[in-house]
Amino acid sequence: MILLDYSQQELIGFFPDQKPYKVRQLYRWLTKGVDFEGMTDIDKAWREKLSAKHIACPVRIFRTFESKDGTKKFLYRLSDGNLIEGVLMSYHHGNTLCVSTQVGCRMGCAFCASTLDGLVRNLSAGEILGQVTAVNAFLGGDANQRRITNIVLMGSGEPLDNFDNTVKFLDLVSGPDGLNVSQRNISLSTCGIAPKMIELADRGYSVNLTLSLHSPRQEKRRNLMPISNAYPLTEVIEACKYYFLKTGRRVIFEYVLVKGENDSDEDARLLSRLTRGFSAHVNLIRLNPVKERKLLPTEEDAAREFLAKLTKLGVSATIRRQMGVDIEGACGQLRRRVLKNGKD
Ligand code: SAH
C-alpha cells in the first residue's frame, strides 16, 4: 500500500507490533519524501519488510522544465508508470505548488489540454500529497522547514470529481503530524460540481474555493464546459454563495478570456450582475494556447478594456500574469504524458 495515503494515527493502528514512537519516526520520513533506504533511524529488518510490501514515495520527479520566468514544471512518475505534471511558482512571499488530482480528466472543457485523453484514473490522497513531499525534498525542505508555502489544486483533473481522496489529502496536508499547511494557504479550483462544493463547506473545510466560471451566460457556458449541463450556472452560483456564507472565505472566479466567446460588453455587464451581493474576486486569464484546440485568446488590449469595464461596474478583478507558457506549464496546458519505449 501507499503509506502516504494514511495519517500517522492510522499507521500506528496498522503496525500494532511496532512501538508508536517507531511509527512516528516512519511517518516523519514519509512526510520528508524519503524512501525506505534513507530512513536511517529505523532498523534494517523493519525497513526491508516495509519495502517488500509498501510504497514510501508514490510520486517521483522524473523530469523538470524551467521557464524563462522561473516557473518550474515537473513531470512526475507514479508507481504504476503513469505520468502527471505539476508546476512550482516562486514569489517573494513563498513557493506555490500546483498539484494534480487525477491522471487526465473527464470534464471535457473545450479549451483545456488536461481533458484531451479523458480520465485515466483518480489519484489517491497519498499521490496528491506525494507531489508536495517530492517537491519539498527537491527544494531541500521537509515537514519542519517547509519550502512550499501555498498549494493550489489546479493541476490536471477535477478535484471534486475525486472528492474522497481530495478531502483526505486536505486532512493529511493540513494535519499537525504532517506538513501542517494551513487551509488558508490552500486553494481548490472546480469547474462547478455544485453538490460537492456544498459538501465541502458542510464538512467544515475552509480552503479558498475557486470557480472556473468562464461565462456569465448558461447557453455559452455549456458550450465551453459540458459540466454546466448537469449543474447550471444558477445552481453553481448558489453553491458559491453558500460556501462564502458558511466559511467566510471570499470566492474567486477564474475567467479565461476567449476571443469572441465571452469578452463582450454584455458579458462584462452580466458578470457584474452575477458577482453582486457576496464577496468575490474575478481573475481574468487570457486563454493559453493548446495546439489541439481552435479557440483564440482575447487580444491584450481588449483584455485590459474588459478589466476596465468590470472595474467600472464595481467588480473586484485583476488580470493574472501568465507564467510558464514557454514550457506548457500555464493554466490549462498540463496534460497526461506517456513514455515511448520507456523514455519520453
Ligand atoms: N478542474 C478544475 C481544476 C483545474 S484548474 C477546474 O476546472 O477549475 C485549471 C484552470 O485553468 C481552470 O480554471 C481552467 O478552466 C483553466 N484553463 C483551462 N484551460 C485553459 C487555457 N487554455 N488557458 C487558460 N486557462 C485555462
Side-chain angles (χ1 to χ4, degrees):
M1 69 188 187
I2 293 175
L3 297 179
L4 273 181
D5 282 341
Y6 302 96
S7 67
Q8 177 171 278
Q9 212 46 44
E10 285 168 326
L11 289 181
I12 290 175
F14 282 140
F15 300 113
D17 46 347
Q18 294 289 336
K19 297 232 168 60
Y21 88 89
K22 278 277 158 205
V23 183
R24 282 197 285 274
Q25 280 176 335
L26 168 69
Y27 194 71
R28 208 165 309 132
W29 289 116
L30 294 172
T31 57
K32 280 186 179 191
V34 173
D35 210 348
F36 297 116
E37 64 264 18
M39 301 182 176
T40 45
D41 58 3
I42 293 188
D43 56 274
K44 203 156 170 243
W46 192 34
R47 267 194 277 150
E48 278 172 3
K49 244 167 116 181
L50 284 169
S51 71
K53 276 204 196 144
H54 304 302
I55 295 166
C57 299
V59 177
R60 293 181 189 273
I61 296 175
F62 185 69
R63 269 191 77 175
T64 58
F65 306 82
E66 186 154 355
S67 160
K68 289 193 293 265
D69 62 30
T71 301
K72 283 198 180 66
K73 184 169 86 171
F74 297 99
L75 185 62
Y76 306 107
R77 194 184 175 144
L78 307 177
S79 359
D80 66 355
N82 266 304
L83 299 181
I84 53 166
E85 297 187 321
V87 178
L88 178 73
M89 291 153 286
S90 300
Y91 305 100
H92 48 265
H93 57 268
N95 292 315
T96 298
L97 188 69
C98 176
V99 299
S100 294
T101 51
Q102 297 179 315
V103 183
C105 182
R106 61 179 182 139
M107 294 297 126
C109 296
F111 37 76
C112 185
S114 303
T115 196
L116 286 168
D117 283 349
L119 177 68
V120 178
R121 70 169 175 86
N122 281 329
L123 295 185
S124 75
E127 288 174 322
I128 308 175
L129 182 60
Q131 298 167 50
V132 184
T133 54
V135 176
N136 244 337
F138 173 87
L139 295 175
D142 60 30
N144 303 322
Q145 250 197 327
R146 256 187 298 116
R147 295 293 159 91
I148 294 164
T149 47
N150 296 275
I151 296 170
V152 296
L153 290 102
M154 299 189 184
S156 290
E158 166 51 46
L160 299 186
D161 188 40
N162 182 14
F163 189 83
D164 293 344
N165 294 331
T166 295
V167 295
K168 179 78 196 251
F169 159 74
L170 294 177
D171 294 339
L172 293 172
V173 78
S174 62
D177 303 326
L179 293 179
N180 209 352
V181 178
S182 156
Q183 289 195 24
R184 293 186 163 261
N185 296 335
I186 302 176
S187 297
L188 184 153
S189 182
T190 178
C191 59
I193 303 185
K196 295 293 179 192
M197 295 159 71
I198 289 169
E199 191 177 342
L200 194 67
D202 283 344
R203 300 253 303 248
Y205 291 96
S206 58
V207 294
N208 303 300
L209 185 67
T210 298
L211 175 72
S212 295
L213 181 61
H214 308 332
S215 175
R217 313 171 201 235
Q218 170 62 12
E219 280 313 302
K220 199 51 146 188
R221 190 170 189 266
R222 43 189 275 205
N223 291 338
L224 294 170
M225 307 177 72
I227 190 69
S228 209
N229 289 305
Y231 307 110
L233 203 47
T234 42
E235 193 180 334
V236 176
I237 297 296
E238 278 313 307
C240 287
K241 289 187 178 161
Y242 184 85
Y243 194 87
F244 167 66
L245 285 175
K246 198 94 189 184
T247 62
R249 316 287 294 151
R250 178 172 79 154
V251 173
I252 310 271
F253 293 116
E254 299 284 7
Y255 197 96
V256 173
L257 285 166
V258 189
K259 192 172 183 175
E261 296 285 329
N262 61 2
D263 55 358
S264 68
D265 289 359
E266 182 65 359
D267 287 314
R269 207 179 54 75
L270 291 171
L271 187 53
S272 78
R273 277 236 300 262
L274 261 191
T275 56
R276 211 163 285 161
F278 69 117
S279 182
H281 179 81
V282 179
N283 240 333
L284 301 171
I285 318 163
R286 288 178 58 235
L287 183 84
N288 293 311
V290 172
K291 60 176 182 292
E292 292 85 347
R293 306 294 206 192
K294 294 215 164 54
L295 298 167
L296 294 170
T298 302
E299 307 289 342
E300 248 179 279
D301 287 353
R304 273 197 292 272
E305 267 171 45
F306 192 80
L307 171 66
K309 274 173 224 148
L310 285 181
T311 310
K312 208 166 154 209
L313 289 160
V315 180
S316 156
T318 39
I319 298 184
R320 187 193 277 172
R321 194 154 54 98
Q322 276 179 321
M323 290 178 87
V325 182
D326 54 336
I327 52 166
E328 291 197 324
C331 296
Q333 293 188 312
L334 298 191
R335 56 175 75 214
R336 173 181 177 233
R337 306 267 172 191
V338 275
L339 293 180
K340 296 183 196 89
N341 312 319
K343 300 193 186 95
D344 65 329

